[in-house]
Amino acid sequence: MARRGKIPATKYPVERFTLDNGLRVVLTPDRSAPVVGVAVVYDVGIRSEPEGRTGFAHLFEHLMFQGSENLEKLAHFRHVQGAGGTFNGSTHLDYTDYFEVLPSGALERALFLEADRMRGPRLTEENLRNQIDVVKEEIRVNVLNRPYGGFPWLKLPPVMFSTFANSHDGYGSFGDLDSATVEDAKAFFDRYYASGNATLAVAGDFDVAAATVMIERHFGDVPARPAPTLPDFDEPALDAERRDAYTDRLAPLPAVAAGWRVPDPIAGFADYLPFVVLAEVLTDGEASRLVDRLVQRDRSVTSIGGYIGFMGDEFQVRNPTALLLQAHMPPGGDAEKVLRTVDEELDRLVHDGLAAGELERTQARIATHLLRDTDAVLGRALPMAVLELQRGRPELLNDLPKLVGEVTEAQVVAAASALRPESRAVVEVTPGAAQ
């Protein structure tokens, strides 16, 4: 069993430089397998969307795959898959990423493709209308026509937060999507998709000197545009419990989710880490406190999970964020009883502390997940790109397992004491499937 403070740091090498146009570059070579991961991350996400343009960050992610000034639609797909690679992109609260995993001999192909769309995607009326329809269909499939669609990541923020940036629906409304114009898309690109607002990371089997030459060749002449000023998304913490409830016509069982604000994950990182550990103490594994109490003994829930960040990205999110618990209950389940039991278990943790070996077991599980995730080249390229973007510290990825292992019992207990009923937001789901 791991002992506190004894979890080792990883030693992936990190080299950083910045091109004249402001693009930040992170290189982490590893010659053990002939594979490379390439990630480009832009400092724009759901929270950056202007009012009246909900869903635009995600819509724009789609548009970035619809060709560029030099390549026709679907060319990106063909060139990556033709080299034996895979690719994708995703939109988060605070950033949007694009990535490829390819055989190492195809590295330059990936760099060319990313640089080409960084210069300018093919923003046409046809592409815009087509991708609006695609995004609307995603909303139908993933939210409107799915049991528990948007629970809790879309349903809890408007209860917990008051500002538009933090509370609005990141998937977007059909009205906002339909009213989007090509001019809106071009303005969004000009503002947020600047080289100075992006980070490129390459991980895997490559020579640093050769890769540097390739990067300068393909990205060096991307026109320089400065990064926009990063808004301050913070807002006051809750001073009283906030509640909401809704009926899900497709849900077969009742559910409940609760969220509490946590310290700033960047400026207050040392205070934030104990909440990461606490979430796992409460819900990770059959022996965790809430799984043992609520699922196995009381049988008041059928499942319960806990995590930090509305999209589960605890080390790649800015302030404000939250520790979330979500539980599904059996027929006739009592959300109030579940919440009271959570409060009881938090109080017990505060008053009695952790059981022997509980902290070490939890830290070992977290470290195992972190180490497993970074074993793949994309598991290094993507988080390092975000860590560079948000903190200027891509090497932090190496230290995370060790830092988790240094969290003390007293810190976890103090974090638990902050999760009070008067500082939480709650959403209940009433099932409508049987009505």
Side-chain angles (χ1 to χ4, degrees), residues 32 58 68 76 82 126 176 214 262 266 270 290 295 336 367:
S32 62
H58 177 228
S68 60
H76 193 111
E126 178 186 2
D176 283 354
M214 292 182 208
V262 294
I266 297 177
L290 295 182
V295 179
E336 294 298 334

Side-chain angles (χ1 to χ4, degrees), residues 104-351:
S104 53
L107 171 59
E108 188 158 18
R109 181 177 300 204
L111 296 173
F112 163 75
L113 292 170
E114 290 296 350
D116 196 56
R117 63 178 168 185
M118 183 180 285
R119 289 188 187 88
R122 188 167 293 197
L123 302 176
T124 66
E125 185 69 23
E126 178 186 2
N127 283 344
L128 178 62
R129 292 302 137 198
N130 175 270
Q131 293 310 301
I132 287 172
D133 288 342
V134 171
V135 170
K136 287 165 66 176
E137 185 60 20
E138 271 195 41
I139 295 171
R140 293 186 187 99
V141 171
N142 294 333
V143 180
L144 301 179
N145 295 319
R146 172 178 290 184
Y148 312 105
F151 173 78
W153 80 278
L154 295 178
K155 300 297 185 180
L156 196 54
V159 183
M160 173 167 280
F161 299 115
S162 300
T163 64
F164 171 81
N166 294 318
S167 66
H168 75 275
D169 183 341
Y171 244 138
S173 72
F174 282 15
D176 283 354
L177 290 168
D178 283 335
S179 65
T181 67
V182 172
E183 288 69 29
D184 292 330
K186 289 179 178 177
F188 194 84
F189 175 80
D190 288 342
R191 178 171 175 78
Y192 293 111
Y193 277 70
S195 53
N197 205 41
T199 296
L200 163 68
V202 182
D205 181 27
F206 63 90
D207 175 78
V208 170
T212 300
V213 171
M214 292 182 208
I215 290 166
E216 291 175 340
R217 177 187 305 138
H218 292 289
F219 288 91
D221 63 352
V222 173
R225 300 198 310 280
T229 301
L230 184 69
D232 180 3
F233 296 123
D234 196 18
E235 58 181 274
L238 299 184
D239 55 10
E241 186 182 40
R242 294 183 184 175
R243 303 285 289 261
D244 194 19
Y246 68 99
T247 298
D248 184 334
R249 63 184 177 84
L250 299 176
L253 298 170
V256 63
W260 295 262
R261 290 278 297 274
V262 294
D264 187 323
I266 297 177
F269 190 56
D271 296 324
Y272 173 80
L273 268 179
F275 288 86
V276 175
V277 177
L278 173 62
E280 303 299 310
V281 165
L282 294 175
T283 65
D284 187 33
E286 297 298 308
S288 63
R289 288 177 174 245
L290 295 182
V291 173
D292 177 65
R293 173 73 188 274
L294 290 165
V295 179
Q296 297 179 354
R297 287 193 281 146
D298 293 1
R299 299 188 183 276
S300 55
V301 306
T302 57
S303 65
I304 187 165
Y307 49 95
I308 290 184
F310 291 92
M311 303 181 79
D313 45 3
E314 66 266 26
F315 298 120
Q316 299 167 38
V317 67
R318 290 190 172 104
N319 194 55
T321 189
L323 186 153
L324 307 178
L325 297 176
Q326 65 179 90
H328 292 78
M329 296 173 281
D334 185 345
E336 294 298 334
K337 179 181 178 181
V338 171
L339 293 171
R340 284 197 304 271
T341 305
V342 169
D343 292 338
E344 289 174 10
E345 289 300 310
L346 288 169
D347 287 342
R348 187 166 70 87
L349 177 54
V350 171
H351 292 140

Side-chain angles (χ1 to χ4, degrees), residues 96-109:
T96 306
D97 58 39
Y98 304 87
F99 49 88
E100 295 85 17
V101 177
L102 307 103
S104 53
L107 171 59
E108 188 158 18
R109 181 177 300 204

